[in-house]
Amino acid sequence: MRFVKGHGTENDFVILPDPDGVLDLTAEAVVRLCDRRAGIGADGVLRVVRTKATDVDADAEWFMDYRNADGSIAEMCGNGVRVFARYLVDAGLAPPGEWDLATRAGPRRVTLGPSGDVSVEMGRPELLGPAEASLAGANFAGERVSVGNPHLACRVTGPVAALDLSRAPDFDPAVFPAGVNVEFFRSVGERHVEMRVYERGSGETRSCGTGTVAVAAAAARGEADGSEWTVDVLGGRLTVVLDGETSYLKGPAVLVAEGETRPGWI
């Protein structure tokens, strides 16, 4: 099985080229690929498949089939979209420029050159009202946000580095029956926040693209439309633009290695 390894602000992925949709990608195979000690290691898997080879109804040529590290299927991944787009250009499967990718959360428009950062239109984040998370016996008020997938963005007053995210935050499963990505964020300047995230299906990750959009939207509640936010994550820095109609996420997408798994290993 051929693979490419890439990351966006250290949110890392195993990319599996499967243009004709012939790969039978089981949850068990995803878990083995993402294992950081016995596998390649990643926060998730990006299967690269032509949309016409799937049952997805979309005009985009390519579909991002995203799987979490535990093998579960996810709707969207903001860092994953950027890495996916960078792979397509690097492999000669798409030209530099601006075009759509198909995802389970709908089409996402990407803009990128032959190298450098990638920008992706993420859609309009939906603010869905308050909810609460608890961590290490403390309760945190948060905002429910949909960015094509579910988020709970919780504002904190102290440094996010002080939080213990070695275990999953607790939340009300009646509010989040499909699970939720939980972000903790703190303001560190004008339209500038720092955050950490515990992703459903993956645990704490170095970055979460949809999570940065959720945090920016929660932090910007009540502001006039049209704002640019800087979001610092463990793996680097991302830029989120909110214009009242949609949102944009810009940041690095880096390919670091490629190879073949050993015959019979998966």
Side-chain angles (χ1 to χ4, degrees):
M1 182 186 296
R2 181 168 170 262
F3 73 89
V4 178
K5 181 72 183 289
H7 75 93
T9 50
E10 299 180 8
N11 191 191
D12 60 339
F13 309 95
V14 173
I15 304 159
L16 299 179
D18 183 27
D20 298 320
V22 298
L23 180 63
D24 180 17
L25 185 60
T26 65
E28 292 76 17
V30 171
V31 170
R32 295 197 70 185
L33 287 165
C34 293
D35 191 305
R36 296 195 179 278
R37 291 178 175 82
I40 297 169
D43 294 322
V45 167
L46 304 172
R47 185 173 71 107
V48 181
V49 58
R50 285 192 171 88
T51 306
K52 67 181 182 181
T54 73
D55 59 2
V56 175
D57 182 15
D59 292 332
E61 181 179 2
W62 295 97
F63 170 65
M64 183 183 77
D65 177 12
Y66 179 61
R67 314 293 180 95
N68 293 313
D70 68 352
S72 60
I73 294 173
E75 304 90 344
M76 245 298 287
C77 178
N79 288 322
V81 167
R82 298 198 326 279
V83 173
F84 190 98
R86 174 56 62 209
Y87 166 76
L88 289 177
V89 170
D90 186 79
L93 298 173
E98 185 175 331
W99 28 266
D100 286 346
L101 289 174
T103 78
R104 291 187 177 88
R108 293 294 185 264
R109 177 146 289 241
V110 297
T111 305
L112 68 164
S115 61
D117 287 357
V118 179
S119 176
V120 55
E121 183 178 355
M122 298 289 287
R124 183 173 186 169
E126 297 180 72
L127 300 177
L128 302 174
E132 192 173 84
S134 60
L135 185 68
N139 294 327
F140 297 87
E143 177 81 32
R144 292 182 293 134
V145 187
S146 174
V147 191
N149 56 355
H151 293 267
L152 176 56
C154 302
R155 187 187 295 270
V156 299
T157 56
V160 296
L163 297 169
D164 180 7
L165 288 181
S166 59
R167 62 178 297 274
D170 292 317
F171 55 86
D172 185 347
V175 178
F176 301 105
V180 66
N181 303 295
V182 182
E183 291 84 26
F184 299 92
F185 72 95
R186 179 179 73 127
S187 176
V188 293
E190 184 176 359
R191 293 179 176 168
H192 185 183
V193 297
E194 63 173 10
M195 85 167 211
R196 287 172 65 191
V197 56
Y198 196 100
E199 295 194 57
R200 59 173 184 167
S202 296
E204 184 180 15
T205 58
R206 302 282 295 173
S207 179
C208 175
T210 53
T212 62
V213 175
V215 161
R221 177 183 271 285
E223 285 199 9
D225 292 341
S227 59
E228 181 175 307
W229 289 79
T230 300
V231 184
D232 292 336
V233 295
L234 295 179
R237 175 170 288 181
L238 292 161
T239 301
V240 176
V241 175
L242 307 170
D243 68 3
E245 297 298 326
T246 188
S247 62
Y248 300 88
L249 173 68
K250 183 178 180 180
V254 183
L255 305 178
V256 299
E258 59 184 310
E260 298 273 349
T261 60
R262 298 283 291 182
W265 176 67
I266 293 293

